[in-house]
Amino acid sequence: MFGLHGRPPLRVQSGDDSFLLRGFIDRIDRDAEGKLRVIDYKTAGPWGFGKQAVRDGKKLQLPLYALAAQDALRLGTVTEGFYWHVQHAQASGFTLGNFEGGPGEAIEAAVGKAWEAVRGARAGHFAPHPPADGCPSF
């Protein structure tokens, strides 16, 4: 948990500007060498949790949680992470380790997309854009 119950939030900095994130990381494993793996549990199915979803800014939670584990919680270096789809009892095909350039590149891509969202919101850009594959039935 970061940014809640007196714990510091994740501060994402860009020059003189920053934004804060808070959240609850479902699970962090540490191996014998001290390397960290972040796991985010999902009730949704494993579809749509690929590398492109990170690049497109649709699935940023896992890489941002990895950054929070490193920077806000100061637990060490995250070397792996994945979404665990509870109802299907399987991991998503996307992992931080299989992102081009590894976890660091996944984090960098997610931070870039998060900044786009923050700057857009600050500028009042809230235009709806239906997804390319159509709106969900719900």
Side-chain angles (χ1 to χ4, degrees):
M1 161 178 5
F2 57 99
L4 301 164
H5 304 290
R7 295 183 185 210
L10 171 64
R11 178 178 297 276
V12 181
Q13 196 82 32
S14 178
D16 292 337
D17 198 5
S18 66
F19 66 87
L20 303 176
L21 286 177
R22 63 182 182 174
F24 189 93
I25 301 171
D26 292 325
R27 180 174 168 176
I28 302 174
D29 296 335
R30 182 186 311 267
D31 69 12
E33 298 173 3
K35 296 176 187 171
L36 303 177
R37 176 177 64 186
V38 175
I39 302 170
D40 189 46
Y41 297 119
K42 295 294 181 198
T43 57
W47 310 278
F49 285 83
K51 296 174 197 175
Q52 193 61 42
V54 174
R55 286 189 216 101
D56 292 343
K58 294 180 179 179
K59 304 291 184 200
L60 304 180
Q61 191 172 10
L62 182 64
L64 292 175
Y65 278 7
L67 181 60
Q70 293 177 167
D71 291 2
L73 299 175
R74 301 188 186 280
L75 295 176
T77 302
V78 174
T79 59
E80 189 54 272
F82 57 87
Y83 295 103
W84 181 261
H85 301 278
V86 178
Q87 293 180 352
H88 292 83
Q90 73 181 73
S92 61
F94 167 75
T95 71
L96 293 176
N98 72 14
F99 198 84
E100 298 83 14
E105 291 294 321
I107 290 169
E108 187 176 315
V111 166
K113 285 299 181 178
W115 268 115
E116 285 180 26
V118 166
R119 290 181 175 130
R122 288 176 178 169
H125 296 253
F126 296 100
H129 299 285
D133 54 351
C135 293
S137 60
F138 55 89

